[in-house]
Amino acid sequence: MFIRVFMFSVICLASVMFSCSKAVTPDVLTYSSKKMYGISSIRQDLKIVLDQMLSVEQQKKHEDLLIEYIYLNEFDTTDDITKLTINELGVLLDLRDSLEYADKRTNSVFSYYTEYKVKPGFVNDRLTIYEVLHNYYQGGLHSSQRIYYCFLDKNENILLDSPGLFKKTQTDLDGLNELLRSYLLSYVSARYSLSADDPEGLKALGFWGIGNLCHAAVYLFSQNEMICVFNETTIGDISIGIVTLKISMNEVRPFLSDHLRDLLFDRGEI
């Protein structure tokens, strides 16, 4: 990918031109740019609101991990990268999009943008779960939106991966899939007035991926419930959009990994 060729030179240039941009409060990082080509435009908007309970050391670690998360999501590479500030990440996105869409500047009217809004969705003294809202438009009829969740273990200052949220035995995974399937079918029945026992009706609506649901979803937790989000095209056609299920923690608790339970709950609640 061309971005790897320009990586170090652009980072060095960005380091000279910019310092890490923060808003009035020290726990917010922002970057915004808009380049006009006649009546066409390329826009980048990035905003990260950090957990206000963080120590100075944790704050820097969260900054690095969240910026790297956005970088990896945008450039789809697992290569080691130099730690970036929010401004350096924005410069890289500007460079990529300017080069990628350069041939469209003289031939058509266009407006491409990338927007990330990151904020805490759950906070205690052991765990921060960040909600990552990603809006983007890269041509076509509609813009797109995706939701992700980043789990940061404050004890270890590391990101938890999705498989680490639940127990890994096949029995537990089957039980979790069945729980998600029952809630999804209830959601479909209520929204579309369709019998939950009508597989052909589900297919006609565009739901085609309702088998292995636990790996298709992203999750947010509190002490009381699990919010399960299926992004566009993960379980069905794009017309279905984002599907959100709310499930009582009492039903979810048996499937949670011991690590996540330790991070979510106080000892008396486990």
Side-chain angles (χ1 to χ4, degrees):
M1 185 182 297
F2 71 84
I3 196 65
R4 299 175 189 170
V5 177
F6 294 110
M7 171 65 71
F8 291 106
S9 60
V10 173
I11 289 175
C12 292
L13 176 61
S15 298
V16 173
M17 295 175 62
F18 299 99
S19 60
C20 185
S21 172
K22 291 190 176 185
V24 176
T25 55
D27 56 344
V28 180
L29 298 92
T30 62
Y31 176 89
S32 182
S33 73
K34 185 175 182 180
K35 290 182 170 59
M36 297 299 298
Y37 304 98
I39 59 174
S40 299
S41 67
I42 293 176
R43 178 166 58 89
Q44 315 290 344
D45 286 297
L46 311 174
K47 182 177 182 180
I48 298 176
V49 179
L50 294 171
D51 174 1
Q52 297 184 19
M53 295 176 61
L54 300 175
S55 66
V56 174
E57 180 183 356
Q58 287 177 322
Q59 185 181 71
K60 179 56 179 170
K61 187 65 174 178
H62 283 215
E63 287 181 15
D64 289 343
L65 288 171
L66 292 170
I67 290 170
E68 184 174 327
Y69 180 90
I70 295 173
Y71 173 88
L72 294 175
N73 192 59
E74 282 294 309
F75 294 108
D76 192 26
T77 175
T78 56
D79 292 348
D80 290 337
I81 61 170
T82 303
K83 295 299 182 185
L84 303 173
T85 67
I86 194 76
N87 276 314
E88 289 165 351
L89 174 61
V91 169
L92 290 175
L93 291 172
D94 288 340
L95 172 65
R96 179 200 63 180
D97 290 350
S98 293
L99 293 175
E100 183 172 348
Y101 302 123
D103 62 333
K104 297 181 173 63
R105 297 177 194 172
T106 58
N107 299 324
S108 62
V109 177
F110 65 91
S111 178
Y112 296 98
Y113 64 85
T114 301
E115 178 184 60
Y116 280 92
K117 294 181 179 179
V118 184
K119 65 180 181 179
F122 172 83
V123 173
N124 66 19
D125 60 352
R126 302 171 298 277
L127 175 69
T128 306
I129 306 175
Y130 286 98
E131 176 188 84
V132 181
L133 181 62
H134 181 205
N135 296 299
Y136 57 97
Y137 179 75
Q138 297 174 324
L141 295 177
H142 305 289
S143 61
S144 296
Q145 180 183 91
R146 298 186 77 81
I147 299 172
Y148 308 99
Y149 295 100
C150 289
F151 290 68
L152 271 77
D153 180 344
K154 290 180 181 175
N155 296 327
E156 302 293 334
N157 284 327
I158 59 173
L159 280 173
L160 300 181
D161 59 9
S162 296
L165 304 181
F166 303 104
K167 294 178 180 177
K168 297 180 180 180
T169 70
Q170 192 60 51
T171 299
D172 288 309
L173 292 176
D174 289 344
L176 178 60
N177 271 321
E178 186 55 37
L179 176 65
L180 296 182
R181 188 173 185 275
S182 67
Y183 269 81
L184 178 61
L185 291 176
S186 295
Y187 167 90
V188 172
S189 297
R191 181 173 178 178
Y192 299 99
S193 300
L194 177 73
S195 169
D197 299 321
D198 184 2
E200 293 304 316
L202 285 171
K203 291 180 181 178
L205 289 172
F207 287 91
W208 42 259
I210 61 170
N212 192 16
L213 292 173
C214 65
H215 296 305
V218 294
Y219 304 94
L220 175 65
F221 294 88
S222 71
Q223 282 91 348
N224 300 317
E225 66 182 5
M226 177 178 80
I227 298 176
C228 173
V229 177
F230 297 98
N231 281 306
E232 291 180 348
T233 70
T234 54
I235 57 172
D237 296 339
I238 194 170
S239 60
I240 294 170
I242 295 175
V243 175
T244 301
L245 309 176
K246 294 184 178 181
I247 303 176
S248 166
M249 186 55 69
N250 290 332
E251 294 184 81
V252 174
R253 191 188 297 258
F255 305 111
L256 300 182
S257 68
D258 292 341
H259 189 188
L260 181 57
R261 290 173 66 176
D262 287 342
L263 294 174
L264 279 175
F265 304 109
D266 294 329
R267 279 296 170 185
E269 299 175 306
I270 295 178

